[in-house]
Amino acid sequence: MPTWTTRPETPADIPAVREIVTAAFPTAEEADLVDALRADPEAWIDGLSVVVETAEGTLAGHALFTRCHVDGSPALALAPVAVLPAFQRQGAAAIRAGLDTARSLGENLVLVLGPPEYYPKFGFAPASRWSVRASFEVPDEALMALTLAPGRPVPSGVIAYAAPFGV
């Protein structure tokens, strides 16, 4: 497994992040979403757009955590997560680094909509465990949540995503 370096995205990284996200998905829709979230001051949180560099300095991956709310309480949405095709299935450094940063910022709840076989390795479990749900139809096992501050109350209710998500 390669050695990764993780760090917050800088303005100089924006073109490479767009290339990573575009390469990882079948359309540019997710790359456009990243750009729209970056431009949304209510969604964007400095330090929670995480890039991954190879030992040679190539940006190879990206994970984005933005503000959402559950029943009016702040939470984070993890989306999108992208890795260049040549580096896929070789690590999850951006997610782990983003979760560590979110924890250090005092965040409590992270939500992700994704493959139920992938995200549990980070501690995610079905969001229904906390009575958290989306405003649209989604399989229970695909909408997951992770609490970063055990013992703190977790809000229940419907997720209000940032406007660029369009839901």
Side-chain angles (χ1 to χ4, degrees), residues 45 48 67 74-76 101-110 147-149 152:
I45 302 169
L48 288 179
R67 178 65 64 218
L76 295 175
T101 300
R103 194 175 285 110
S104 73
L105 292 173
E107 297 291 340
N108 184 32
L109 181 63
V110 181
T147 60
L148 299 176
R152 274 182 53 194

Side-chain angles (χ1 to χ4, degrees), residues 42-53:
E42 293 186 24
W44 191 259
I45 302 169
D46 286 335
L48 288 179
S49 179
V50 180
V51 295
V52 178
E53 287 182 307

Side-chain angles (χ1 to χ4, degrees), residues 4-28:
W4 304 109
T5 301
T6 59
R7 60 176 174 75
E9 171 190 296
T10 67
D13 297 326
I14 292 172
V17 167
R18 184 163 180 87
E19 287 178 24
I20 291 166
V21 178
T22 300
F25 291 95
T27 71

Side-chain angles (χ1 to χ4, degrees), residues 19 68 146 155:
E19 287 178 24
C68 66
L146 172 66

Side-chain angles (χ1 to χ4, degrees), residues 107-126:
E107 297 291 340
N108 184 32
L109 181 63
V110 181
L111 302 160
V112 67
L113 179 59
E117 63 279 356
Y118 182 72
Y119 289 97
K121 70 181 175 185
F122 301 100
F124 284 91

Side-chain angles (χ1 to χ4, degrees), residues 50-91:
V50 180
V51 295
V52 178
E53 287 182 307
T54 66
E56 296 76 34
T58 301
L59 289 188
H62 175 252
L64 182 59
F65 297 78
T66 54
R67 178 65 64 218
C68 66
H69 292 84
V70 174
D71 194 33
S73 296
L76 295 175
L78 169 56
V81 174
V83 178
L84 288 175
F87 297 100
Q88 288 179 353
R89 294 180 176 80
Q90 295 186 42

Side-chain angles (χ1 to χ4, degrees), residues 136-161:
F136 50 90
E137 285 296 316
V138 58
D140 184 63
E141 66 276 4
L143 181 62
M144 292 165 274
L146 172 66
T147 60
L148 299 176
R152 274 182 53 194
V154 176
S156 62
V158 177
I159 305 164
Y161 288 97

